[in-house]
Amino acid sequence: MGIHDGHRDKMRQRFLRGGLDAFADHEALELLLYYAIPRRDTNPLAHALMERYGSLAAVLTAPVEDLQKVEGIGESAAILLSLVPRLYLRARLAEAQQEQILNSSEKAGAYLVERFAGEKHEVVYALCLDRKGKLIACKRLGEGDMASAGLDIRRLLEAALLTSASAVILSHNHPSGVALPSQDDFIATERAKAALESIGVQLADHIIAADGDFVSMADSGYLA
């Protein structure tokens, strides 16, 4: 057993005995990188990542292609670092979706703020609800802002029909950090409302999320 193997074994045993509470952030990264980089001392790599990004959260939300700019971080390690928080978020959202009642803008907004956490691009979602406001499904309709990508009305109607939704909450994020609706958002809202009404489904709201906050177009009086 080499010096690195002995150190790795000690780190694993520390984790098994007490979890991550006794680990510094760079040590937690070092441990995680063991599973993508089997033959190299990952301690310097962990320090390099922390120095580049400034925090553990910033490392784990960095784009895969950017992570690979750190010397010694290949594609496998970059994917592992990016995958961990996304898996955790998916598990939390799946748990939250069970019997999730989104019958107010506060509840829907809180759900969506978490859904959009870590997104670097503008993404459009449709929350499909039953008559009581229970979330049936959260459907990703597309990526890109309303101006450049447009709202895919066909996919919106397909989501509503396939889930037998009684109402839909349309939502997208503003990665710029400002949740105020744009002119393109108003146009998209009107198109979505008219299309859903044609199949007997209500557009309950259009929620815009940004930087941990949200704006409800229904609450703001923009969705009559």
Side-chain angles (χ1 to χ4, degrees):
M1 179 180 289
I3 185 171
H4 294 317
D5 292 330
H7 175 66
R8 288 186 175 213
D9 187 59
K10 290 178 181 177
M11 291 281 279
R12 292 189 187 99
Q13 292 306 314
R14 276 179 62 193
F15 172 73
L16 291 173
R17 286 194 303 269
L20 286 176
D21 288 345
F23 281 67
D25 287 349
H26 75 275
E27 290 179 314
L29 274 179
E30 177 187 351
L31 179 61
L32 179 61
L33 288 169
Y34 290 169
Y35 300 96
I37 306 174
R39 302 296 179 192
R40 181 172 176 176
D41 182 5
T42 59
N43 181 275
L45 294 177
H47 279 288
L49 287 165
M50 292 296 293
E51 287 172 10
R52 178 178 176 86
Y53 295 104
S55 71
L56 181 60
V59 172
L60 295 176
T61 55
V64 169
E65 58 274 17
D66 196 63
L67 288 166
Q68 292 182 81
K69 294 177 183 177
V70 176
E71 186 177 356
I73 300 296
E75 184 180 62
S76 295
I79 288 174
L80 178 64
L81 291 169
S82 182
L83 183 61
V84 168
R86 294 177 187 226
L87 279 174
Y88 174 68
L89 179 60
R90 173 174 285 194
R92 285 194 62 181
L93 291 170
E95 184 178 53
Q97 189 165 318
Q98 295 183 15
E99 300 299 322
Q100 184 79 44
I101 305 297
L102 304 180
N103 56 2
S104 71
S105 59
E106 289 79 13
K107 291 178 181 178
Y111 173 86
L112 286 161
V113 164
E114 185 162 16
R115 168 68 71 171
F116 285 118
E119 291 285 1
K120 302 298 184 184
H121 305 286
E122 192 160 311
V123 179
V124 183
Y125 283 109
L127 304 184
C128 301
L129 312 176
D130 68 9
R131 294 185 184 279
K132 295 181 179 180
K134 177 183 174 183
L135 180 61
I136 304 169
C138 178
K139 298 289 188 179
R140 187 180 179 113
L141 300 183
E143 185 173 309
D145 61 49
M146 292 294 187
S148 65
L151 174 63
D152 193 329
I153 293 295
R154 181 188 63 79
R155 294 188 68 180
L156 173 64
L157 296 180
E158 184 179 77
L161 289 169
L162 289 176
T163 59
S164 300
S166 294
V168 168
I169 295 175
L170 185 66
S171 182
H172 73 285
N173 61 326
H174 282 177
S176 63
V178 180
L180 295 176
S182 66
Q183 186 59 40
D184 289 314
D185 297 336
F186 290 124
I187 294 170
T189 302
E190 290 301 318
R191 289 180 61 220
K193 181 182 177 183
L196 288 168
E197 284 178 348
S198 73
I199 59 170
V201 177
Q202 176 195 9
L203 179 63
D205 206 343
H206 184 173
I207 292 178
I208 303 167
D211 196 24
D213 196 9
F214 68 92
V215 167
S216 160
M217 293 184 72
D219 287 354
S220 301
Y222 298 131
L223 190 60

